[in-house]
Each structure stands twice: as structure tokens, then as C-alpha cells.
Amino acid sequence: VLDENIKNIPATHVTAWLCNNGYLMEETVNNKKRKVSTQKGESIGIFTVDGMSKNGMPYKKNIYSAQAQVFICENIERIATEYKKSLN
């Protein structure tokens, strides 16, 4: 149970932090931007894999292993601090 005064950190900010720190990078394919894992990201357990939509359209998705999730949790205070600064 969280204190009602605690605010969520948007997933987009976590992703932005991972990009800013070299774990993900943004690429553009067919005029669409997407985030994909870098070698540094793979070293902590973030992998970009191929997926298929229900309509049969291929796409890329990022998979975060347990190791990557622990890494994010260990850095959540840094991520939150940067997020708070971005609001000011």
C-alpha cells in the first residue's frame, strides 16, 4: 500500500532515462520512432525482439529480464530525482 502523497514515475520517463544512459536508443523506421536495446542494454538484460500483432503485422518489442528489472529498481531513486527535476 502506497502513501497517497507518492506520485508515479511514468514509464516513458524510465525509458527516457535508459536512453539517456545508453541502455536503449531511438531509431526511426518507416517514419516511426521506436526504442531498441543497445549492447549496453543487453548487458543488463534488455533485449529487443520481433513480435507479431494479431493482424499479422511484425513489430519490435523490448523484453526486460529479471536482471534488468532489478537494475531499474536499484536506480529508481536516480530516475525519480531526474524526473522531479524535469517537472520544474
Side-chain angles (χ1 to χ4, degrees):
V1 177
L2 294 176
D3 183 309
E4 63 186 45
N5 295 319
I6 293 178
K7 297 189 186 232
N8 292 332
I9 300 170
T12 54
H13 189 76
V14 175
T15 303
W17 185 88
L18 290 167
C19 284
N20 292 339
N21 288 279
Y23 298 98
L24 294 174
M25 67 178 199
E26 188 173 85
E27 68 177 20
T28 303
V29 176
N30 297 328
N31 294 323
K32 292 184 180 181
K33 293 181 181 180
R34 63 182 177 203
K35 310 286 191 291
V36 295
S37 183
T38 63
Q39 187 173 359
K40 186 176 179 182
E42 289 178 0
S43 74
I44 65 162
I46 302 173
F47 301 98
T48 301
V49 299
D50 293 320
M52 186 73 66
S53 73
K54 291 180 182 179
N55 298 333
M57 299 297 295
Y59 65 93
K60 300 277 187 187
K61 63 182 177 178
N62 292 321
I63 303 295
Y64 295 80
S65 70
Q67 175 187 352
Q69 294 173 49
V70 167
F71 174 82
I72 292 168
C73 289
E74 289 174 347
N75 286 281
I76 201 69
E77 286 187 37
R78 290 175 59 198
I79 296 168
T81 298
E82 289 182 27
Y83 175 64
K84 187 176 178 182
K85 286 179 184 177
S86 75
L87 296 176
N88 295 330

